[in-house]
Amino acid sequence: MTKKLLLIDGNSIAFKAFYALYQSLDRFTNSSGLHTSAIYGFNRMLDKVLEEEKPTDVLVAFDAGKVTFRTKMYSDYKGGRAKTPSELSEQFPFIKQLVNARGIKDYELPDYEADDIIGTLARQAERAGNYQVVIITGDRDLTQLTSAKTTVQVSKKGVTELEKYTPDYVEKKLGVKPSQIIEIKGLKGDNSDNYPGVEKVGDKTALKLVQQFGTIDNLYDHIDDVSGKKLKEHLINDQDQAKRARTLATINRDAPVTISLADLKYEGDDLDQLTDFYERMNFKSFLAKLAVDDDGDNQEQLAKINYQVLTKDNVALLKEFKDEVSFHLEMATENYHTSPILGFAIGHGDKWYATNDISLLTNPDAMTLLTSSTIAKNVFDAKRTYVGLYRESIELKNVDFDMLLVSYLLNTTNNSNDVGTVARLHGFQNIKTDEEVYGKGAKREIDAESPEFLTHIVHKAKAIDQLHNDMFADLDKHNQTKLYREIEIKIAFVLAKMEISGIKVNPETLEEMGSKFTERLSEIKQTIYQQAGEEFNIGSPKQLGVILFEKLRLPILKKTKTGYSTAVDVLEKLAPDAPIVQNVLDYRQISKLLSTYVDGLLKVIHQDDSKVHTRYLQTLTQTGRLSSVDPNLQNIPVRSDEGRLIRQAFVPSHPNWQIFSSDYSQIELRVLASITGDKNMQEAFKEGEDIHATTARRIFGLNSNDEVTPELRRQAKAVNFGIVYGISDFGLSKNTGITRKQAHQFIERYFEEYPGVKKYTEDIVEFARNHRFVETIAHRRRYLPDINSRNFNLRSFAERTAMNTPIQGSAADIIKIAMINMDEALKGMRTTMLLQVHDELIFEVPDEELETVKKLIPKVMDSAISLNVPLKVESHWGKTWYDAK
DNA sequence: ACCATCACG
DNA sequence: ACGTACGTGATGGTC
């Protein structure tokens, strides 16, 4: 029987795969920060070729190193090539692991390239007689191996798209026989491999000559038949180069390979190894494919989990759970404050129950379980679950494991709010995603009456149940158990209560402001139309650009990728040139206030309590901060006088109460002073100095009695901010309007005056290079896969992130600790914590508690953590949020 | 679905 | 030489 030998050029396929996915480089990283794009692409190719060719024998050949018999012959061979990007070179060991897990041998041979191994084995197979050979490569030079028994498939743009070369196809496409390819290369040389052929001979001439003479040797035997005097001269002059080039281009088909055809038998994947490998790479789709193949072809089939439909007649069975239970509450939409609740699944081990009868939640047998402080609960998204149950008058207690939260702490990047996605990421495959079950976009539909619904939510609960030990173990490996138990799981409930409390918004105030804004808007609009000489949509950057830069011929200072930039900084520079510009700026500001803050807020006020109930996203930001949605209450205007008025609509929910706000002063710079250990900066804070003024004195070399002008202070402040963001002279100059050179000098002076800060910036980047992540004070972790990138932009960004994340993230740790302590400190009082805005907490306070909280709240905040510098807290209060200033 | 813009720390 | 300030969310316009 004929065998089929598949020979794969490992290096060239890896390169092709890497560059095919180069645009999506950052989408392909696993949870330990390894890039996986080439590995992924390589496997796509394997899948396709193994399926299509069904080989009996397979080998993947790799280049052994830089030195080969070719470099020994010609030292510049492949010289001047850019170094392989680290994002790719780090993947090679894993490509070999992949190849082996797929039941395929890999092979390399010192002094030889992968081509030579392939050429040699292909010849052996051809001579053995009973083989068909298929070669897979990204390098067209290998087509010289094409023969009656050997086809060469060259990957095109993507890796899975292959162009098949047979001898006929070679002749049709290239105009010569396969064996003549080296003759062509001899004449024209190879730029990418860095060896010359004959001067002035390129593709066309080389082809013509080879078609005429057949081989280089024959050409030189009949050199007088060459037409063209110059060409003949060049050929004679470069004869040695041509012969050398041909030798370099010739694949060695007698390499001393130490592996034999008999070793290449292919018997399919090593399933255990491959599953493990895919898990480590976070290859969800490949894992799913394995599971499917394993399951006998049925895509829809998951391993069955036995469960009972819970009813009022059997709900007493829940009494059997004494220590631990996994629970999933299913809702229809994202917003758990308003979403219909559709059903729940509950169980542990191999006992599972599910229902769409929500009334069973309040059945004593279920409720006791959920509110018990001795039975531990495992859930996905404790805050969501708490709020959902709270709406059913159940107070969830004793949550031990929150799978969403743990997954986020382990790796902030690949996180998702979908149980199935997270479960698969952590190795539990027997589950579908919501999208797979419910559909997405307009097609999304949940039929809570269907059996599929109950099955799906049982799978979710089971995934949580199964993963909890493993994920806790991972947490421990990261040194993050304390972060989880002392901070994150606790703050989840504090946040839940804040969200439930909500903050009262006075719709009349907003409506009044809305009519004023609308009126002003139509005035400005008319003026703009007059100044433009026509009507157009001021809100359209495209139309505005045409008016400003084409009709009025204002100078184009900046472009975006789609056209002219009309952003604020540009328009501010143009304002002196044309009166229309200031009007556009005013129009923009007011329409922003109107649409986002007046109309936007009015839309989300709950009718029953006149409050807005934001949701804090606890598992989104890369630094550990919270974010706020529906509505976002962390970006209510404050910087402009007009915008600030919006805050008048935010009021206490009881008469004679106050809005009370406390904020950390300079928390990020204090964290910086503390973690860098910089003595000069620490001293400034210990002495209670104005840090920006002190910085100004230092970097501008003022005496202690010299006055720091507002301008100098402003510049110093910008430098302080820049440092926190991971400074660069370009960034600083752009932001402050000073020259890049000046910015450079400021930074140098800064580092001289704060040497601890300088050392920190160097050390943290070094740490990131070595570990591929950085950490905050509380061991919150952020992976930086691009830190060793060859791409300047990606690498620089990762470096700035390495500097910024421990600072921003540690500040986030601190305020979270303060909030947990605050929740405790306010027990027994009526004062309620309502909002968090990164370095600021907002409360509503009854008049009679005002005096108490003036001391208590700042105390709790400034004692949240002990740094090497004091924390400073400032408080303000008033009848509305606007007045708490 | 993506972009530009602008609101916040 | 490269071409950046860090972290977010909501909106209207445009494709």
mmCIF file of all heavy atoms in Angstrom, chain A residues 420-444:
data_model
loop_
_atom_site.group_PDB
_atom_site.id
_atom_site.type_symbol
_atom_site.label_atom_id
_atom_site.label_comp_id
_atom_site.label_asym_id
_atom_site.label_seq_id
_atom_site.Cartn_x
_atom_site.Cartn_y
_atom_site.Cartn_z
ATOM 1 N N GLY A 420 -19.727 30.398 30.794
ATOM 2 C CA GLY A 420 -19.164 29.393 29.885
ATOM 3 C C GLY A 420 -17.789 29.793 29.393
ATOM 4 O O GLY A 420 -16.856 28.977 29.360
ATOM 5 N N THR A 421 -17.644 31.051 29.011
ATOM 6 C CA THR A 421 -16.355 31.524 28.511
ATOM 7 C C THR A 421 -15.276 31.406 29.582
ATOM 8 O O THR A 421 -14.174 30.922 29.322
ATOM 9 C CB THR A 421 -16.501 32.992 28.060
ATOM 10 O OG1 THR A 421 -17.586 33.079 27.150
ATOM 11 C CG2 THR A 421 -15.232 33.482 27.404
ATOM 12 N N VAL A 422 -15.607 31.856 30.787
ATOM 13 C CA VAL A 422 -14.629 31.803 31.871
ATOM 14 C C VAL A 422 -14.309 30.359 32.240
ATOM 15 O O VAL A 422 -13.155 29.998 32.464
ATOM 16 C CB VAL A 422 -15.132 32.594 33.099
ATOM 17 C CG1 VAL A 422 -14.178 32.438 34.278
ATOM 18 C CG2 VAL A 422 -15.307 34.064 32.750
ATOM 19 N N ALA A 423 -15.345 29.529 32.264
ATOM 20 C CA ALA A 423 -15.138 28.121 32.625
ATOM 21 C C ALA A 423 -14.192 27.446 31.640
ATOM 22 O O ALA A 423 -13.249 26.761 32.022
ATOM 23 C CB ALA A 423 -16.477 27.391 32.659
ATOM 24 N N ARG A 424 -14.425 27.661 30.363
ATOM 25 C CA ARG A 424 -13.551 27.048 29.352
ATOM 26 C C ARG A 424 -12.130 27.566 29.478
ATOM 27 O O ARG A 424 -11.169 26.811 29.325
ATOM 28 C CB ARG A 424 -14.076 27.355 27.957
ATOM 29 C CG ARG A 424 -15.343 26.591 27.605
ATOM 30 C CD ARG A 424 -15.701 26.911 26.173
ATOM 31 N NE ARG A 424 -17.054 26.515 25.842
ATOM 32 C CZ ARG A 424 -17.641 26.822 24.695
ATOM 33 N NH1 ARG A 424 -16.994 27.538 23.790
ATOM 34 N NH2 ARG A 424 -18.868 26.440 24.447
ATOM 35 N N LEU A 425 -12.026 28.845 29.754
ATOM 36 C CA LEU A 425 -10.700 29.449 29.924
ATOM 37 C C LEU A 425 -9.908 28.736 31.016
ATOM 38 O O LEU A 425 -8.693 28.609 30.941
ATOM 39 C CB LEU A 425 -10.881 30.930 30.289
ATOM 40 C CG LEU A 425 -9.655 31.804 30.389
ATOM 41 C CD1 LEU A 425 -9.019 31.979 29.026
ATOM 42 C CD2 LEU A 425 -10.028 33.160 30.959
ATOM 43 N N HIS A 426 -10.629 28.275 32.016
ATOM 44 C CA HIS A 426 -9.935 27.618 33.128
ATOM 45 C C HIS A 426 -10.022 26.100 33.051
ATOM 46 O O HIS A 426 -9.791 25.408 34.038
ATOM 47 C CB HIS A 426 -10.460 28.140 34.456
ATOM 48 C CG HIS A 426 -10.041 29.560 34.713
ATOM 49 N ND1 HIS A 426 -10.804 30.644 34.347
ATOM 50 C CD2 HIS A 426 -8.908 30.069 35.236
ATOM 51 C CE1 HIS A 426 -10.178 31.750 34.662
ATOM 52 N NE2 HIS A 426 -9.023 31.441 35.203
ATOM 53 N N GLY A 427 -10.401 25.606 31.883
ATOM 54 C CA GLY A 427 -10.253 24.171 31.663
ATOM 55 C C GLY A 427 -11.512 23.337 31.816
ATOM 56 O O GLY A 427 -11.471 22.126 31.690
ATOM 57 N N PHE A 428 -12.633 23.961 32.080
ATOM 58 C CA PHE A 428 -13.883 23.199 32.165
ATOM 59 C C PHE A 428 -14.610 23.349 30.834
ATOM 60 O O PHE A 428 -15.107 24.428 30.499
ATOM 61 C CB PHE A 428 -14.742 23.729 33.318
ATOM 62 C CG PHE A 428 -16.024 22.962 33.532
ATOM 63 C CD1 PHE A 428 -16.073 21.908 34.432
ATOM 64 C CD2 PHE A 428 -17.184 23.293 32.832
ATOM 65 C CE1 PHE A 428 -17.252 21.196 34.633
ATOM 66 C CE2 PHE A 428 -18.368 22.581 33.024
ATOM 67 C CZ PHE A 428 -18.392 21.533 33.931
ATOM 68 N N GLN A 429 -14.663 22.254 30.066
ATOM 69 C CA GLN A 429 -15.155 22.370 28.692
ATOM 70 C C GLN A 429 -16.613 21.996 28.527
ATOM 71 O O GLN A 429 -17.223 22.319 27.509
ATOM 72 C CB GLN A 429 -14.305 21.479 27.765
ATOM 73 C CG GLN A 429 -12.841 21.806 27.784
ATOM 74 C CD GLN A 429 -12.583 23.270 27.468
ATOM 75 O OE1 GLN A 429 -13.253 23.876 26.645
ATOM 76 N NE2 GLN A 429 -11.595 23.862 28.143
ATOM 77 N N ASN A 430 -17.160 21.350 29.515
ATOM 78 C CA ASN A 430 -18.493 20.787 29.340
ATOM 79 C C ASN A 430 -19.583 21.833 29.572
ATOM 80 O O ASN A 430 -20.428 21.712 30.455
ATOM 81 C CB ASN A 430 -18.679 19.600 30.300
ATOM 82 C CG ASN A 430 -19.917 18.812 29.971
ATOM 83 O OD1 ASN A 430 -20.277 18.668 28.812
ATOM 84 N ND2 ASN A 430 -20.594 18.317 31.000
ATOM 85 N N ILE A 431 -19.525 22.890 28.788
ATOM 86 C CA ILE A 431 -20.465 23.989 28.982
ATOM 87 C C ILE A 431 -20.518 24.812 27.699
ATOM 88 O O ILE A 431 -19.555 24.860 26.942
ATOM 89 C CB ILE A 431 -20.011 24.880 30.169
ATOM 90 C CG1 ILE A 431 -21.091 25.895 30.520
ATOM 91 C CG2 ILE A 431 -18.676 25.554 29.884
ATOM 92 C CD1 ILE A 431 -20.865 26.558 31.860
ATOM 93 N N LYS A 432 -21.669 25.402 27.448
ATOM 94 C CA LYS A 432 -21.788 26.313 26.320
ATOM 95 C C LYS A 432 -21.783 27.749 26.834
ATOM 96 O O LYS A 432 -22.017 27.999 28.011
ATOM 97 C CB LYS A 432 -23.098 26.053 25.568
ATOM 98 C CG LYS A 432 -23.124 24.706 24.877
ATOM 99 C CD LYS A 432 -24.394 24.587 24.070
ATOM 100 C CE LYS A 432 -24.619 23.151 23.646
ATOM 101 N NZ LYS A 432 -25.907 22.996 22.974
ATOM 102 N N THR A 433 -21.540 28.671 25.932
ATOM 103 C CA THR A 433 -21.628 30.083 26.313
ATOM 104 C C THR A 433 -23.075 30.535 26.152
ATOM 105 O O THR A 433 -23.867 29.903 25.445
ATOM 106 C CB THR A 433 -20.744 30.953 25.417
ATOM 107 O OG1 THR A 433 -21.242 30.871 24.078
ATOM 108 C CG2 THR A 433 -19.294 30.489 25.447
ATOM 109 N N ASP A 434 -23.414 31.645 26.781
ATOM 110 C CA ASP A 434 -24.763 32.198 26.628
ATOM 111 C C ASP A 434 -25.068 32.475 25.162
ATOM 112 O O ASP A 434 -26.178 32.250 24.692
ATOM 113 C CB ASP A 434 -24.905 33.489 27.441
ATOM 114 C CG ASP A 434 -25.061 33.204 28.928
ATOM 115 O OD1 ASP A 434 -25.233 32.024 29.297
ATOM 116 O OD2 ASP A 434 -25.004 34.170 29.716
ATOM 117 N N GLU A 435 -24.040 32.977 24.475
ATOM 118 C CA GLU A 435 -24.237 33.293 23.067
ATOM 119 C C GLU A 435 -24.616 32.037 22.270
ATOM 120 O O GLU A 435 -25.484 32.093 21.400
ATOM 121 C CB GLU A 435 -22.951 33.907 22.530
ATOM 122 C CG GLU A 435 -23.153 34.776 21.326
ATOM 123 C CD GLU A 435 -21.845 35.390 20.872
ATOM 124 O OE1 GLU A 435 -21.279 36.214 21.640
ATOM 125 O OE2 GLU A 435 -21.372 35.039 19.786
ATOM 126 N N GLU A 436 -23.958 30.931 22.593
ATOM 127 C CA GLU A 436 -24.263 29.686 21.875
ATOM 128 C C GLU A 436 -25.677 29.183 22.181
ATOM 129 O O GLU A 436 -26.334 28.601 21.333
ATOM 130 C CB GLU A 436 -23.236 28.606 22.236
ATOM 131 C CG GLU A 436 -21.872 28.828 21.590
ATOM 132 C CD GLU A 436 -20.758 28.033 22.264
ATOM 133 O OE1 GLU A 436 -21.045 27.243 23.200
ATOM 134 O OE2 GLU A 436 -19.595 28.216 21.868
ATOM 135 N N VAL A 437 -26.118 29.423 23.411
ATOM 136 C CA VAL A 437 -27.431 28.907 23.797
ATOM 137 C C VAL A 437 -28.550 29.901 23.469
ATOM 138 O O VAL A 437 -29.584 29.536 22.925
ATOM 139 C CB VAL A 437 -27.465 28.580 25.304
ATOM 140 C CG1 VAL A 437 -28.841 28.050 25.702
ATOM 141 C CG2 VAL A 437 -26.396 27.548 25.646
ATOM 142 N N TYR A 438 -28.299 31.171 23.785
ATOM 143 C CA TYR A 438 -29.378 32.173 23.659
ATOM 144 C C TYR A 438 -29.307 32.971 22.358
ATOM 145 O O TYR A 438 -30.248 33.681 22.030
ATOM 146 C CB TYR A 438 -29.315 33.167 24.830
ATOM 147 C CG TYR A 438 -29.400 32.522 26.205
ATOM 148 C CD1 TYR A 438 -28.670 33.051 27.276
ATOM 149 C CD2 TYR A 438 -30.226 31.424 26.443
ATOM 150 C CE1 TYR A 438 -28.753 32.499 28.544
ATOM 151 C CE2 TYR A 438 -30.310 30.858 27.714
ATOM 152 C CZ TYR A 438 -29.570 31.390 28.756
ATOM 153 O OH TYR A 438 -29.652 30.848 29.998
ATOM 154 N N GLY A 439 -28.168 32.890 21.658
ATOM 155 C CA GLY A 439 -27.999 33.722 20.463
ATOM 156 C C GLY A 439 -27.481 35.094 20.836
ATOM 157 O O GLY A 439 -27.343 35.421 22.015
ATOM 158 N N LYS A 440 -27.173 35.895 19.800
ATOM 159 C CA LYS A 440 -26.667 37.230 20.138
ATOM 160 C C LYS A 440 -27.348 38.309 19.316
ATOM 161 O O LYS A 440 -27.993 38.031 18.314
ATOM 162 C CB LYS A 440 -25.165 37.293 19.939
ATOM 163 C CG LYS A 440 -24.682 37.301 18.512
ATOM 164 C CD LYS A 440 -23.227 37.771 18.491
ATOM 165 C CE LYS A 440 -22.630 37.529 17.108
ATOM 166 N NZ LYS A 440 -21.240 37.940 17.038
ATOM 167 N N GLY A 441 -27.164 39.540 19.772
ATOM 168 C CA GLY A 441 -27.727 40.691 19.077
ATOM 169 C C GLY A 441 -29.242 40.604 19.025
ATOM 170 O O GLY A 441 -29.893 40.258 20.008
ATOM 171 N N ALA A 442 -29.782 40.893 17.870
ATOM 172 C CA ALA A 442 -31.237 40.919 17.715
ATOM 173 C C ALA A 442 -31.833 39.519 17.857
ATOM 174 O O ALA A 442 -33.001 39.350 18.179
ATOM 175 C CB ALA A 442 -31.586 41.501 16.356
ATOM 176 N N LYS A 443 -30.988 38.498 17.603
ATOM 177 C CA LYS A 443 -31.497 37.123 17.642
ATOM 178 C C LYS A 443 -31.504 36.521 19.042
ATOM 179 O O LYS A 443 -31.973 35.405 19.234
ATOM 180 C CB LYS A 443 -30.641 36.236 16.731
ATOM 181 C CG LYS A 443 -30.890 36.458 15.261
ATOM 182 C CD LYS A 443 -30.301 35.296 14.471
ATOM 183 C CE LYS A 443 -30.079 35.691 13.022
ATOM 184 N NZ LYS A 443 -28.786 35.210 12.549
ATOM 185 N N ARG A 444 -30.945 37.254 19.995
ATOM 186 C CA ARG A 444 -30.883 36.709 21.352
ATOM 187 C C ARG A 444 -32.285 36.514 21.915
ATOM 188 O O ARG A 444 -33.117 37.424 21.862
ATOM 189 C CB ARG A 444 -30.089 37.668 22.246
ATOM 190 C CG ARG A 444 -29.887 37.150 23.665
ATOM 191 C CD ARG A 444 -29.098 38.168 24.481
ATOM 192 N NE ARG A 444 -29.521 38.156 25.872
ATOM 193 C CZ ARG A 444 -28.828 37.549 26.841
ATOM 194 N NH1 ARG A 444 -27.703 36.941 26.548
ATOM 195 N NH2 ARG A 444 -29.270 37.566 28.071
#
